[in-house]
Amino acid sequence: MCGIVGITGNKNAVDILLNGLQRLEYRGYDSAGIYVNSQDGKEYLVKEKGRIDDLREEIGADVHGTSGIGHTRWATHGVPSKENAHPHVSADGRFFLVHNGVIGNFAELKTTYLQDVKFASDTDTEVIVQLIAKFAKEENLATKEAFKKVISLVDESSSYSFLLMDNQEPETLYVAKNKSPLLIGVGNGFNVVCSDAIAMLDQTHDFIELVDGEIVIVKPQSVTIEDPQGNVIDRKPFHVDTDASEVEKGAYPYYMLKEIDEQPTVMRSLIKHYIADDGSVTIDDTLLDSIKKADRLYIVAAGTSYHAGLVGKELFEGLTKTPTEVHVASEFGYNPPLLSKKPFFVFLTQSGETADSRQVLAQVNKWGYESLTITNVENSTLSREATFTLLLYAGPEIAVASTKAYTGQIALEAILAKKIGEEKGISAATSFDVAHELTTVANGMQELVDEKSQYEQIAANVLATTRNAFYIGRAIDYDVAQEAALKLKEVSYVQTEGFASGELKHGTIALIEEGTPVIAIITGAKTAKHTRSNTQEVLARGANVINIVSRNLAEDGDQVILPDVHSLLTPLLAIIPCQLLAYYTSLQRGYDVDKPRNLAKSVTVE
Ligand code: F6R
């Protein structure tokens, strides 16, 4: 959440900061700002409510510099406004700070130390920059020491990545992080800082990861990392292969559509990375051994990734016969279940940075249990902190609503479950030709994404003006209904519920009235008849029913027909029309589908 960028040693600082922020806009987009220093006595602080384009308009031709910091905000403390936008500046005008995260004890710090300071914003961040200025002045501390002192006062519950500038040392960026992502990008004669490598891929592909608690001093020719005791740490950069063009929209009007269309490619890429030519799955034996030893799997995730976990339960139980529980990370954190004797934890996370999931992983590590993170982001925090990682190789997902990461996670769960089940001698797994099945899925996905006009039409007829909507299904179709509902509500703001179709009549059916859209997912042979009879119940009460049905179960009048695939993989196809319905409904209602209100891509606060 919130995007952070910084640069030192490059005369194009303004452009580099703004372009970087534009690429990070998906992490928060309610206000933005930059501070730049020209090193010849000139400095500029420009902030604006709204998007990066709004900020660009505020930046006059005179604004220039060779070092600077920038921020795009997802509000936590204080409404979205110019005053609350970052960078925040100390009352004496010396220090400038951008921050991602939340300072748990900001109110106490303010009361204890800053009663006499006049604040310009309602943010927790401003407390930090005012404190740095206070300690620098009153205790005559050097900037690094004042910064360290303030960090030592921030309580355990806090999360932060800080990027600080002192206009008395305008070439230097002071950096620190705790539970929030931040990377140093190494350039030729200049260096950059960013909360996500994609912000700076046009400047460098070499990044240094930071560890919580370190202080980093970045200058044009040097990066000095110090551990909390002040020891200098030597850490080599890692290389990010992603091409800068992969984070561009190309000919697409929106990232969400591009990413929906990329799903067949994601399936093929997973086959390429995890399945050898002879059809055998290639996954590290130590990971497989750890999972095989477990008596129960605990999948922990949030949002769409949690929904991918629900399908994962079907896959792991169906193919490996290992009991599997799926937990919402934010609930598990404070209300963990009774664990089995030999648990194994699977974290599903597109970004690898979700604070709720990180909190559970930290607890799992304290307990001493092994874990796997399935993520799209190499070197992300959850990837580094888990025992094992499997990557999705889906390419960057920029649209805030997750699409290809969801299907990628399910496909990778299928590959993993196949391998474990096969090694355990489970017949459902040995007969499951995962490469063949996922190839059939990829072809089926292609068929669906090639038929966009029908979804646009259904959205216009059924969803464009409705107040609310339901997705219903049973068993694995219920898993999809929940994800389909999340997709529709988050980008179109139509209040939508994903419901177990049999449960509808136990109360919720009271909400069905003339014209209420009810979209039924029907891919299970055992449950099809029952879901159809639930659609009859809502039809009788005036609902506008749309059926999304597997070809082998289709009947006259069904509106969307899905190509047939293996019964455990039907979510991979059933979700595609739902993603497209969400996409078109959002556009028809006049919204920015890539950046829905109130949301941000990587949710790094609790
Ligand atoms: C919805 C969406 C979110 C994320 C959730 C977890 O489209 O993207 O619900 O799935 O915030 O994020 P990750 O997967 O990055 O842990």
Side-chain angles (χ1 to χ4, degrees), residues 302-305 348-352 354 357 400-402 409 486-487 490 601 603:
T304 289
S305 293
L348 295 179
T349 169
Q350 183 280 129
S351 64
T354 301
S357 301
V400 165
S402 182
Q409 284 167 341
L486 178 60
K487 229 42 359 157
E490 70 183 326
K601 186 76 183 161
V603 187

